[in-house]
Amino acid sequence: MSTEARNLPDQFRHCSNLMRRMYHQSGPMNTRHGQGKLMHYLLSMDGATQKDLAKEMRMYPASLADVVRQAECNGFVSVAPSADDARSTGVFLTDEGRSIAEKRAAANERVAEDIFADFSEEERAQLEGLLAKLSDSLEKKATEGDDEDRRCNHRSRRSRRYDGHRKCGGRRMRKNDQFVSRA
């Protein structure tokens, strides 16, 4: 691997950290732990189910449920039964949540313009194409070999706490490659 190829991930990570800092310093600061992202998606998907939001936001449904609960406690969203299906619930922005989300969206737009101000339209389009290509490549490689029947041979911090990993249904890998049910 060339030196340039080895430096690319570091440069990418550095740019990502700087961009995150710029976005964090702009706009209202009264949201925490994914609530801003939730409200951003609800601006265009108000009333969506948590399942749809989790898929769109690329989050685990359980993680999203925590974010929704926190946002609801803060008065940014409300959860109500869906008009289409009584079995599902929709997540809706409150007036306060909508106000904050719109302010954040405007601030994020200003930051994006600031970040890419030194790029020409052609360079922006080229960068967008390269990032889309990188994203597609990473998605394919990250999901390569994923299937429901695949054995889970790792344990996360959460699995040690709760005696199991959600992907492998609570089974643990032994040294001799045999699974033992923990339930």
Side-chain angles (χ1 to χ4, degrees):
M1 181 186 283
S2 69
T3 305
E4 294 83 18
R6 280 193 298 257
N7 291 337
L8 280 174
D10 288 336
Q11 289 175 340
F12 192 78
R13 192 175 306 112
H14 180 68
C15 287
S16 177
N17 289 338
L18 291 173
M19 287 174 57
R20 187 176 298 118
R21 187 183 310 163
M22 288 178 71
Y23 280 111
H24 184 71
Q25 291 171 346
S26 72
M29 297 299 291
N30 49 357
T31 61
R32 305 187 114 204
H33 307 293
Q35 294 176 44
K37 183 178 180 180
L38 170 66
M39 292 189 304
H40 170 77
Y41 277 94
L42 285 175
L43 277 175
S44 60
M45 300 175 62
D46 202 24
T49 64
Q50 289 188 30
K51 181 180 178 181
D52 293 339
L53 285 168
K55 184 177 180 182
E56 189 70 26
M57 294 171 64
R58 298 178 184 172
M59 291 179 71
Y60 287 114
S63 300
L64 178 65
D66 289 340
V67 173
V68 169
R69 193 175 321 107
Q70 290 171 353
E72 188 175 21
C73 287
N74 290 335
F76 302 143
V77 301
S78 64
V79 179
S82 176
D84 300 336
D85 185 3
R87 295 173 294 169
S88 63
T89 58
V91 182
F92 300 88
L93 280 172
T94 61
D95 292 337
E96 181 184 3
R98 183 170 304 285
S99 171
I100 290 170
E102 288 170 349
K103 288 176 185 173
R104 283 194 69 84
N108 287 349
E109 237 177 86
R110 286 191 303 272
V111 170
E113 284 299 319
D114 228 16
I115 289 171
F116 299 107
D118 295 336
F119 287 72
S120 69
E121 288 298 319
E122 183 180 315
E123 289 170 329
R124 287 182 188 193
Q126 185 179 13
L127 179 61
E128 187 176 358
L130 290 171
L131 289 175
K133 184 177 180 179
L134 176 64
S135 180
D136 290 345
S137 173
L138 290 174
E139 284 279 336
K140 286 177 188 169
K141 290 176 182 172
T143 58
E144 201 170 83
D146 276 359
D147 62 9
E148 293 298 319
D149 298 328
R150 189 174 66 136
R151 292 182 180 180
C152 181
N153 62 0
H154 70 283
R155 290 175 49 219
S156 67
R157 199 171 15 187
R158 175 174 279 170
S159 68
R160 287 190 292 269
R161 244 190 332 232
Y162 298 112
D163 283 335
H165 187 275
R166 72 182 86 145
K167 287 186 179 175
C168 58
R171 296 172 296 196
R172 267 193 208 178
M173 176 79 82
R174 284 189 173 173
K175 288 183 181 177
N176 64 355
D177 200 32
Q178 291 179 357
F179 284 101
V180 176
S181 176
R182 301 289 295 173

